[in-house]
Every structure is written in C-alpha cells, then in structure tokens.
Amino acid sequence: HVQLVESGGGLVQAGGSLTLSCAATEHSASTACMAWFRQGPGDEREGVAYMHTGNNNIQYSDSAKGRFTVSRDNAKNTVYLQMNDLKPNDTAMYYCAARAGWSSLCRITWRRYNFWGQGTQVTVS
C-alpha cells in the first residue's frame, strides 16, 4: 500500500517561495503518475502539476506555469514542488497524490487518483 507524506508548507509573504516535498514509500507502477493538487477554503480541489515518473513528462496548470516547478529525486522516492512568486490566491492545502497509468492519464481529475498524502498548508499573506 503506497503511502505519501508531504512536508514544506508554511506561511510566506507574497512574492516569496516555498518548496514542498512528497516522500513515497515506494516507486512502482502504482506511482507512475505523481501529482500535486490544492484546495482552498470552499473551493474544488484542483490540479497544479502532474508528472509521469516513467518518462518524466510534466504538465502544469495555467496558474502554475512559469512559477512552479516539479522535480524528482529517484533515490529518495521524493517529488518536489518548487513554488516561486507566490500570490495570496495560492493559499490552500496542498496534496500529493499518486496513481497508476500511462503518461496521458496523469493530468486527470483528482477523483481518479488512488493514493493521497495528508496535505500541507500553504498560506500566502
């Protein structure tokens, strides 16, 4: 059973940066797609960035393009989300998620992801 543990959230001023980490207990077919989602108060959960760990194909939401960067440390089974130029509307609970699938299936609704971390809060003032 895949377990994901996020860390790195916190309080930051607008224009600042944070790096979130997502450590997985395994790297397998079940974690072929790794993604970051976020959910603000009263909002629908939305995708921020998606990575296929097989071919390293990465996709970003429009709000993340140019400001957020996904990377991976294979040796640590860890995926990172580097967030720059943060804005108040980036304030949300950020979740790491994983699912099996081909690269074309990574950028998909959060409901189709099987494994979730506990979330880490990002607050931008």
Side-chain angles (χ1 to χ4, degrees):
H1 182 75
V2 177
Q3 294 184 352
L4 305 173
V5 179
E6 301 105 332
S7 61
L11 174 64
V12 64
Q13 291 186 340
S17 299
L18 279 175
T19 299
L20 307 183
S21 300
C22 172
T25 52
E26 65 183 73
H27 171 57
S28 66
S30 296
T31 59
C33 291
M34 297 290 294
W36 287 95
F37 292 85
R38 68 185 183 186
Q39 187 168 17
D43 293 336
E44 175 79 5
R45 190 168 296 189
E46 64 170 348
V48 174
Y50 311 83
M51 168 188 274
H52 191 268
T53 58
N55 62 13
N56 288 323
N57 182 50
I58 296 173
Q59 300 180 76
Y60 297 97
S61 66
D62 288 343
S63 62
K65 282 179 184 176
R67 299 188 301 128
F68 294 3
T69 302
V70 171
S71 61
R72 181 165 65 108
D73 185 331
N74 293 338
K76 296 181 180 179
N77 283 344
T78 300
V79 175
Y80 302 96
L81 181 67
Q82 170 72 40
M83 304 185 294
N84 298 324
D85 190 23
L86 283 162
K87 306 177 187 304
N89 60 7
D90 291 317
T91 295
M93 185 71 80
Y94 283 70
Y95 297 93
C96 175
R99 59 161 285 158
W102 300 106
S103 178
S104 60
L105 295 178
C106 291
R107 186 169 188 167
I108 201 168
T109 175
W110 64 269
R111 295 176 178 84
R112 303 298 296 274
Y113 272 76
N114 307 110
F115 305 105
W116 290 86
Q118 81 285 0
T120 186
Q121 178 68 37
V122 172
T123 302
V124 185
S125 63

